[in-house]
Amino acid sequence: MCSLALFPPPLPYGQTTVCESNNELLSGSSTEDQLKQDFSPPSLSFPRESLKLHSRTENSSKAAFLDHSETLWMRSAAAWRDGGLTGLLNEITNSHPEVPKWLSMSSGCILALLQWVSSFHGSLFPHLTLSSEDMIAEFSQVLNWSDCVVRAFAWHPHTDKFAVALLDDSIKIYNPKSATTPTLKHRLQRNVAVVQWKPLCASALAVGCQNCLLVWHVDPCSLSTRPSAGCAHVLSHPGHAPVTSIAWSPSGSLLVSASPMDTAMMVWDVAAESCVPLQRVGGGGVTFLSWSPDGSHVLASTPSALFRVWETRMWTCERWPCIKGRCQSGCWSPDGSRLLFTVQDEAVIYSLTFTNTPAAVPSGTSKGPHAAVVVADLSETTFSTPDGDIIVGGEIQSLAWDPRGERLAVLLKGDPRAADRSPIIAVFKTRVSPIFELLPCGFVQGEPGAEPRLMQFHPNFRHGALLTVCWSSGRITHVPFYFLSASIPRLGLSGSPTLPHVQERPADFANQSLFTEFIS
Amino acid sequence: MLRLLHLSAPLLARSALKRKSFMSIILFFLVICWRAAASIAWAVLLLPPSTAIFVILSKFSVLHPIQTISECFSMLTSATAIFSFILLCGVIIMVGFLNFEYYTVIPTIACSKIALFGQLLHPRQLVNSLVHCIMGMIVAWCSAVTIGFRYETLGHPCAQTDGYHQMCLNEYHLILLLGGAFVGFSHSLLGVIHNMNYVSFHTVQQYKYLRFKGCLPLVVKCSATQALYSVRNFIVVYYFLGYIPRTWICKTLNLHLGSSAHPLDSIAGLLDLSLLYHLWISATFLLFTWYITLLLFRIFLTEGYSFPVQSSFTEDADHCLPKVLTEKQPMILKFLALQDLALLSQHSPLRRCEVFSLSQPGGHPHNWNAISKECLSLLADLTQRLVAYHDTVATNGRAKSLSSGSERKTSSETSDFMSPRPTSPLTAPFTPDLDSPFMSPALRRLAAPVEQGSPWYGTVQSPHIMRRVKNFLAKRVLIVYLFNKLPEASSQALFADSQAHIWALEGLSYLVQASFSEDQFGVVQTTLPSILSCMLVLQEAVDRHFKLPHASSKPVRSTSSMGDSTYKTLRFALRATLKTAIYRITTTFGDHLNAVQLSAEHRKRLQQFLEYKE
């Protein structure tokens, strides 16, 4: 087993990663050093000061008004509407001069009983005691979500436009071919955890937020900068909030959503606004979803040390118990045959392989592997640089694999308490076929003081791979990796098929490989 | 000799037709009846546990839990319990049979209140209501016997003032029986209003057991809430009209009214909590068993069925997918075949390979031709229907009724089989239209704007006031209420069978996508222009339709009902599927589509898709 020690050392202070070219990462002193290219997506910056944040934190405007006395019935009705059963019981218990003693006593007892039961439930699944905002922050793929200016980011799967969800609960859509940048705002769009564009569609954008799921229809030809709330469909199901992860099927027909509060994973037929809950015992919720690019499997991780891999033909699942912690992140190879995932509190990347059974066989369960294989060890490594020793490695926040399966980006959490261990992105070169290989590529670093928070690969960058990184400073930059594809360009969903390059050559990998299937 | 040949030619054709329909009947029996029977068998098998739970819940008393359990055991093993259980099995089989008899895959959508009344008063529906009424009473009798104590018998001996015994009416038994009949009747009525006989197909395929398990909480919730509402309505009815059946029963059975307790149609008598609980729990039990039967029937019927794409034996050729697809009746087989097509095009490379294959002698792509032709004709039919509808709306300023409009019949004569036809001949003239001859002249005057010559004209000039007057009239006149068109109902009716179109679109687009790499002989290429133009024309028609008022308004979703409201959103699903299907083809083929022969207008439209601007 090899480690991060094989990586080239991080850049000295003040240098930023610009691109990869000729098999090495180039750096520059400022972001303006970008190479000239035919496609350059806008690199944006959202300073925290420019956002108009909510001045009030709570939803209700009760505090601004004078208290006036209502009848018990009115107050009870309001409490029922706002707080449900517990609210009603609370109201009855607290207004004891007006209600008979036995009623306030009994409601107090019921309330205590309910709280005891919920605390018992909470001790089984500690995450249930979190507030919804903390819960999103805990299970989000974004590092330090609650403090992040850019809370979610999504490239359109077919075009060069992208959506950015900001701290002020608005979503902006940038299109390099269009001058208008529509801003999406909705009453229910609060604490956006995740956004994703619908495949095989130009306009639909799904947004997972605190209370519900929204599907926006943003007409690409429209010149309006503020699409009305009528363009959004609200999808909600009782008990299914906050939504921390969503995934569209690659064929664009279904949407799955997950909430850590709900043990069921929802499969939505968005146009019909109907959903099928898929419930299994164990786990205590669903936190992260990832649909394999070939559409055959869905990874669903839970807050417990357990994750499931669903097969999408008959919707049966395999249970995968982990030893240490919950599955934090995962990503699929382009052909859907390999799943890489990471586990909380562990600094390694695991791999699972799936072979698709011939679909003519009616049995839906695919014969999966029996155990996961460790493919990379990212435990802490010290690099000595001119600026002093830098420690890199540790826990992993998220994984991203480029659509051709040649670059794997790993966002390392670092340690917020230690100054020399800031979050960093490590990039691997990968090869999926004929054998799986993992080789070091380098670290992607931003401006001094900026920490990576969120990353995503462009779905169809023609010259290699394009990694988009959102930084803690509110800046969004794009790091291109120029290479010639070693594999035959895949047909199907990711853009129109291009002819194989004549001068194509397999990338000559560094002679020390981090992982190949021959070694393990 | 020649004459004989002339005579025999149509005869031969007819016999061939007969043979074909005979084969489809065999397939129907093999697949559908078997599924219905299996679902009924499962419903009967599930009856013992649900009965046991009902017995425990109905006899439960907090103060004597042990006694409850021993009572339940002795109850469950008694002879009357076994007899009533056999009765319950009979009821379940009957309910299952009615489900099978009345189910439909294309919902009947009433376009106005009067059409809805027509559906409710149709003889077939009346028979259904009556049978449900009787079955409700039987179930109520069984539950009365099961609950025991004061509900057990209809008569009980009571002492009169002069000393000798006579039989008195036990009103508790009667109210339970009538309650059961009422719940059964209202179940049948609500079945029509909520289209409960409509069987929808799910986009998410699941195993039967898992689907059943997932739906079970919903069934419990639905039956409990529906029982609550039904019991509430029943109590109101009984409060006002309860004396009629009571005196009638007393007269016919020569029973006396007990003078001791309160009569039950008084407020004091009905405020008996234990009685209300028993009414509610027996209504819940009744609805639960029936809903379970319905749920199992739906699950079994809509399970995917894998038809062979081609067969090496000629006698099996009628069971193959291309043949079943083109069959017109029964509709359920056609739907199953289309579902199978959509699934195979998405998931099975081996079966797709068979679709793209050439026939062994001759080398013709018969499978692909038959499948694509059928799918295209389905889509063309929908386009035609939409265009005709839009034209009538555009010319008259209001929509002509769907099913009574004669122009529709002629326009879609060629492929009429998929049209949403009303199940009853009664509903057809009741479909609303202000121009229809059904409307009386007086009514028409009421509904139409005020004419110039009328005395109204001089006095009321402001259009605002006129509108107010019209609204006033419309509100007052019951008949206008009855004949007024329900908004978006006509739109729903247009797309009532669109599940078939959705599958056709999915099947075609996935097959075309797969053909890019899998079609060795290029059989799909020959049909690609017609597929593209068909989809683009449909896209245009759908876009135009959604610009009409009410077409794009979303219906209110009702979650706590067993009625399936999928048909209300079918048009949105169709629109989304159509767009995705075109994108699937354009994304796969990309710039190669420039080589496909298309008209200039279609090419322009296709370019929009290629640039992701739709």
Side-chain angles (χ1 to χ4, degrees):
Chain A
M1 180 55 55
C2 304
S3 72
L4 278 179
L6 296 173
F7 270 67
L11 299 172
Y13 186 82
Q15 296 269 302
T16 55
T17 314
V18 176
C19 70
E20 185 206 293
S21 181
N22 293 328
N23 253 326
E24 55 181 327
L25 285 176
L26 304 181
S27 62
S29 52
S30 72
T31 41
E32 277 71 48
D33 276 358
Q34 300 239 348
L35 293 185
K36 271 283 154 219
Q37 47 189 287
D38 54 348
F39 163 66
S40 57
S43 136
L44 301 164
S45 181
F46 300 99
R48 188 177 293 267
E49 303 77 48
S50 72
L51 298 178
K52 204 164 73 181
L53 299 179
H54 296 300
S55 51
R56 57 193 166 80
T57 48
E58 57 188 296
N59 184 30
S60 143
S61 53
K62 210 175 177 178
F65 294 93
L66 282 177
D67 194 28
H68 87 119
S69 59
E70 285 174 319
T71 61
L72 178 69
W73 284 111
M74 296 289 284
R75 272 183 290 140
S76 302
W80 170 261
R81 200 187 56 227
D82 294 342
L85 183 63
T86 34
L88 179 67
L89 289 174
N90 227 340
E91 183 66 42
I92 293 175
T93 317
N94 290 337
S95 53
H96 40 83
E98 291 165 73
V99 293
K101 197 166 170 16
W102 61 269
L103 190 61
S104 67
M105 282 285 281
S106 58
S107 64
C109 287
I110 296 171
L111 197 61
L113 191 72
L114 278 179
Q115 276 163 356
W116 182 74
V117 168
S118 72
S119 72
F120 178 69
H121 195 205
S123 70
L124 278 180
F125 298 109
H127 70 275
L128 294 179
T129 54
L130 295 174
S131 73
S132 16
E133 214 170 324
D134 292 341
M135 197 179 283
I136 298 175
E138 172 74 22
F139 297 114
S140 171
Q141 293 292 296
V142 183
L143 183 61
N144 204 351
W145 176 86
S146 44
D147 185 43
C148 209
V149 180
V150 177
R151 290 194 146 173
F153 178 92
W155 278 106
H156 190 272
H158 308 290
T159 61
D160 288 332
K161 65 180 169 188
F162 56 86
V164 182
L166 298 173
L167 186 60
D168 62 351
D169 294 337
S170 67
I171 294 177
K172 287 183 192 299
I173 292 168
Y174 290 90
N175 190 350
K177 287 181 188 154
S178 149
T180 54
T181 52
T183 306
L184 313 178
K185 283 187 181 175
H186 194 279
R187 188 171 51 86
L188 293 169
Q189 187 173 289
R190 277 186 289 134
N191 290 332
V192 176
V194 58
V195 291
Q196 198 177 8
W197 291 91
K198 178 180 175 177
L200 297 179
C201 184
S203 59
L205 176 74
V207 180
C209 41
Q210 188 178 328
N211 293 323
C212 61
L213 199 63
L214 291 164
V215 179
W216 284 93
H217 287 272
V218 191
D219 187 356
C221 300
S222 165
L223 294 173
S224 153
T225 52
R226 274 295 298 272
S228 76
C231 300
H233 293 307
V234 180
L235 304 175
S236 66
H237 192 267
H240 195 72
V243 177
T244 54
S245 187
I246 53 175
W248 283 98
S249 73
S251 63
S253 52
L254 297 172
L255 173 72
V256 290
S257 70
S259 165
M261 291 294 279
D262 193 358
T263 50
M265 175 175 101
M266 296 289 161
V267 184
W268 295 91
D269 185 349
V270 172
E273 293 190 17
S274 64
C275 70
V276 179
L278 296 176
Q279 192 134 24
R280 291 291 184 277
V281 178
V286 185
T287 57
F288 173 71
L289 296 169
S290 171
W291 206 309
S292 72
D294 68 336
S296 61
H297 292 93
V298 178
L299 164 74
S301 66
T302 68
S304 314
L306 167 78
F307 68 92
R308 297 191 177 87
V309 178
W310 291 84
E311 154 284 314
T312 60
R313 198 172 139 75
M314 294 304 283
W315 290 98
T316 52
C317 65
E318 291 173 10
R319 277 167 64 98
W320 283 93
C322 310
I323 298 165
K324 253 190 152 169
R326 63 160 204 266
C327 172
Q328 165 66 28
S329 181
C331 59
W332 293 88
S333 67
D335 57 353
S337 65
R338 185 175 292 273
L339 168 69
L340 299 184
F341 67 94
T342 64
V343 172
Q344 202 188 22
D345 299 330
E346 278 191 78
V348 292
I349 300 175
Y350 291 98
S351 158
L352 280 176
T353 44
F354 293 88
T355 46
N356 288 328
T357 50
V361 181
S363 76
T365 49
S366 58
K367 274 276 163 274
H370 297 291
V373 186
V374 177
V375 292
D377 180 8
L378 300 175
S379 52
E380 287 173 8
T381 310
T382 310
F383 290 94
S384 51
T385 60
D387 305 329
D389 284 0
I390 297 177
I391 303 172
V392 173
E395 249 187 85
I396 296 160
Q397 175 69 24
S398 66
L399 296 174
W401 208 340
D402 97 276
R404 299 190 198 198
E406 306 222 10
R407 292 293 181 275
L408 174 74
V410 182
L411 176 54
L412 296 162
K413 255 184 194 170
D415 190 345
R417 281 158 300 178
D420 57 343
R421 294 172 55 195
S422 54
I424 197 166
I425 295 174
V427 179
F428 294 90
K429 292 173 190 164
T430 54
R431 187 151 68 168
V432 179
S433 63
I435 53 159
F436 180 66
E437 276 189 320
L438 205 59
L439 305 150
C441 179
F443 296 110
V444 171
Q445 284 164 280
E447 291 170 324
E451 295 176 355
R453 288 288 159 86
L454 168 64
M455 57 181 191
Q456 192 176 33
F457 275 105
H458 189 287
N460 42 20
F461 185 63
R462 288 174 189 276
H463 313 286
L466 180 76
L467 182 68
T468 303
V469 186
C470 306
W471 303 93
S472 57
S473 56
R475 181 175 278 278
I476 298 175
T477 59
H478 309 276
V479 182
F481 295 80
Y482 297 105
F483 57 86
L484 293 172
S485 184
S487 63
I488 300 159
R490 284 184 51 75
L491 308 174
L493 302 176
S494 53
S496 59
T498 48
L499 291 171
H501 296 290
V502 183
Q503 70 277 41
E504 193 164 289
R505 61 184 169 87
D508 56 331
F509 291 108
N511 38 16
Q512 73 278 53
S513 69
L514 203 53
F515 176 85
T516 71
E517 269 176 349
F518 286 144
I519 294 172
S520 71
Chain B
M1 185 66 200
L2 203 71
R3 220 187 120 138
L4 201 75
L5 263 179
H6 263 294
L7 271 176
S8 64
L11 242 168
L12 270 175
R14 202 172 301 154
S15 76
L17 205 72
K18 244 182 201 163
R19 194 183 135 269
K20 207 171 160 187
S21 63
F22 179 66
M23 291 308 281
S24 76
I25 286 169
I26 288 183
L27 194 60
F28 181 75
F29 270 99
L30 277 178
V31 181
I32 308 300
C33 293
W34 171 249
R35 288 180 168 193
S39 77
I40 294 173
W42 272 107
V44 170
L45 280 180
L46 284 173
L47 198 54
S50 47
T51 315
I53 290 168
F54 166 67
V55 168
I56 291 168
L57 284 179
S58 65
K59 284 181 167 301
F60 189 75
S61 94
V62 189
L63 300 176
H64 313 284
I66 310 281
Q67 198 189 341
T68 310
I69 293 169
S70 65
E71 254 180 36
C72 290
F73 265 107
S74 64
M75 173 67 225
L76 285 173
T77 47
S78 69
T80 46
I82 290 167
F83 176 66
S84 58
F85 185 74
I86 292 169
L87 266 184
L88 283 178
C89 290
V91 167
I92 290 297
I93 291 170
M94 191 65 203
V95 169
F97 179 73
L98 284 180
N99 285 341
F100 180 54
E101 193 57 37
Y102 282 78
Y103 86 94
T104 172
V105 285
I106 299 171
T108 323
I109 291 156
C111 287
S112 66
K113 294 276 186 241
I114 194 78
L116 192 62
F117 283 119
Q119 280 180 17
L120 288 175
L121 295 176
H122 187 254
R124 205 172 126 90
Q125 180 53 36
L126 287 181
V127 169
N128 189 358
S129 301
L130 188 69
V131 174
H132 272 101
C133 222
I134 294 168
M135 288 192 308
M137 208 179 259
I138 294 173
V139 176
W141 183 83
C142 294
S143 44
V145 167
T146 319
I147 297 169
F149 82 117
R150 61 179 183 187
Y151 302 100
E152 198 151 2
T153 51
L154 189 59
H156 64 102
C158 56
Q160 284 297 92
T161 42
D162 49 357
Y164 79 102
H165 288 272
Q166 59 178 11
M167 292 303 276
C168 282
L169 175 76
N170 180 6
E171 207 177 344
Y172 290 103
H173 186 82
L174 181 69
I175 201 172
L176 221 56
L177 288 193
L178 289 178
F182 184 85
V183 173
F185 181 69
S186 59
H187 169 80
S188 142
L189 285 193
L190 285 175
V192 174
I193 293 167
H194 292 157
N195 261 321
M196 229 178 264
N197 62 341
Y198 166 56
V199 175
S200 75
F201 288 80
H202 281 258
T203 33
V204 175
Q205 298 288 308
Q206 269 180 291
Y207 287 110
K208 290 196 287 279
Y209 165 67
L210 293 171
R211 176 163 291 173
F212 177 75
K213 205 178 78 176
C215 291
L216 203 54
L218 181 75
V219 171
V220 173
K221 199 181 118 195
C222 280
S223 46
T225 48
Q226 190 53 53
L228 203 62
Y229 288 127
S230 296
V231 166
R232 182 198 64 188
N233 297 345
F234 170 67
I235 283 172
V236 171
V237 170
Y238 193 80
Y239 178 71
F240 288 109
L241 301 173
Y243 67 93
I244 301 173
R246 199 174 55 198
T247 43
W248 183 74
I249 291 272
C250 284
K251 232 176 236 171
T252 42
L253 295 182
N254 201 12
L255 293 169
H256 292 266
L257 273 176
S259 56
S260 54
H262 305 282
L264 283 182
D265 58 348
S266 65
I267 292 192
L270 282 175
L271 274 180
D272 180 352
L273 271 184
S274 143
L275 173 71
L276 292 183
Y277 174 71
H278 282 126
L279 268 177
W280 174 73
I281 195 90
S282 51
T284 307
F285 172 65
L286 181 153
L287 288 177
F288 179 74
T289 51
W290 292 5
Y291 284 164
I292 284 286
T293 317
L294 180 65
L295 175 72
L296 283 168
F297 177 72
R298 282 183 188 164
I299 290 174
F300 271 82
L301 199 68
T302 57
E303 197 197 5
Y305 182 84
S306 179
F307 295 89
V309 177
Q310 58 182 4
S311 165
S312 34
F313 304 105
T314 42
E315 55 265 33
D316 288 345
D318 287 330
H319 293 184
C320 289
L321 188 63
K323 272 277 155 49
V324 182
L325 267 184
T326 49
E327 291 289 324
K328 291 166 180 57
Q329 289 293 338
M331 205 47 113
I332 178 75
L333 272 187
K334 191 181 178 81
F335 269 58
L336 282 176
L338 280 165
Q339 187 189 28
D340 186 39
L341 173 71
L343 289 176
L344 89 86
S345 64
Q346 207 171 341
H347 295 293
S348 346
L350 286 178
R351 295 177 69 203
R352 280 201 298 259
C353 205
E354 285 182 60
V355 172
F356 298 139
S357 69
L358 300 181
S359 66
Q360 207 32 270
H364 296 286
H366 287 309
N367 294 332
W368 166 252
N369 283 349
I371 288 171
S372 62
K373 195 178 147 209
E374 183 55 32
C375 290
L376 288 179
S377 85
L378 275 178
L379 298 181
D381 168 53
L382 180 65
T383 313
Q384 219 160 25
R385 213 189 294 168
L386 288 177
V387 169
Y389 179 80
H390 198 270
D391 286 351
T392 46
V393 169
T395 50
N396 294 357
R398 67 178 85 86
K400 267 247 165 63
S401 75
L402 239 187
S403 34
S404 67
S406 55
E407 81 287 339
R408 235 202 95 248
K409 282 265 160 60
T410 50
S411 69
S412 57
E413 198 82 275
T414 45
S415 45
D416 192 46
F417 53 91
M418 289 301 286
S419 60
R421 63 181 71 100
T423 44
S424 69
L426 253 183
T427 53
F430 282 119
T431 358
D433 194 351
L434 288 177
D435 284 344
S436 71
F438 199 76
M439 202 118 150
S440 71
L443 250 180
R444 201 172 303 160
R445 210 175 314 130
L446 278 176
V450 184
E451 300 117 30
Q452 288 219 338
S454 75
W456 286 96
Y457 186 68
T459 50
V460 189
Q461 278 168 342
S462 150
H464 189 72
I465 297 175
M466 267 177 41
R467 201 181 310 133
R468 206 186 282 168
V469 169
K470 249 179 82 182
N471 283 348
F472 174 77
L473 280 177
K475 265 180 204 149
R476 292 298 141 141
V477 181
L478 174 79
I479 302 167
V480 172
Y481 161 77
L482 285 177
F483 280 85
N484 241 352
K485 228 174 172 156
L486 297 173
E488 64 170 299
S490 51
S491 204
Q492 281 174 17
L494 261 180
F495 289 93
D497 58 342
S498 279
Q499 187 64 60
H501 305 116
I502 290 172
W503 282 324
L505 282 168
E506 283 186 350
L508 275 183
S509 63
Y510 277 114
L511 283 174
V512 168
Q513 184 188 28
S515 77
F516 192 81
S517 51
E518 292 175 14
D519 179 14
Q520 298 171 359
F521 309 107
V523 295
V524 175
Q525 273 184 30
T526 53
T527 16
L528 193 53
S530 55
I531 290 174
L532 276 174
S533 57
C534 181
M535 285 184 179
L536 289 171
V537 169
L538 180 58
Q539 159 82 9
E540 199 176 344
V542 168
D543 272 359
R544 265 174 66 191
H545 181 82
F546 271 90
K547 292 209 173 90
L548 294 176
H550 297 305
S552 54
S553 57
K554 290 260 174 185
V556 189
R557 278 197 305 152
S558 60
T559 46
S560 60
S561 155
M562 274 300 282
D564 206 324
S565 55
T566 317
Y567 64 90
K568 289 183 184 164
T569 48
L570 270 179
R571 58 183 188 280
F572 301 104
L574 178 95
R575 182 173 62 165
T577 312
L578 177 59
K579 232 172 214 180
T580 309
I582 301 177
Y583 269 122
R584 189 168 291 136
I585 297 176
T586 54
T587 316
T588 311
F589 282 79
D591 293 334
H592 297 288
L593 285 181
N594 293 332
V596 177
Q597 295 251 320
L598 282 175
S599 71
E601 195 189 334
H602 287 166
R603 186 166 299 287
K604 212 170 127 193
R605 216 161 160 121
L606 205 60
Q607 195 57 38
Q608 294 277 346
F609 278 94
L610 282 168
E611 289 168 5
Y612 292 95
K613 284 195 173 157
E614 267 297 321

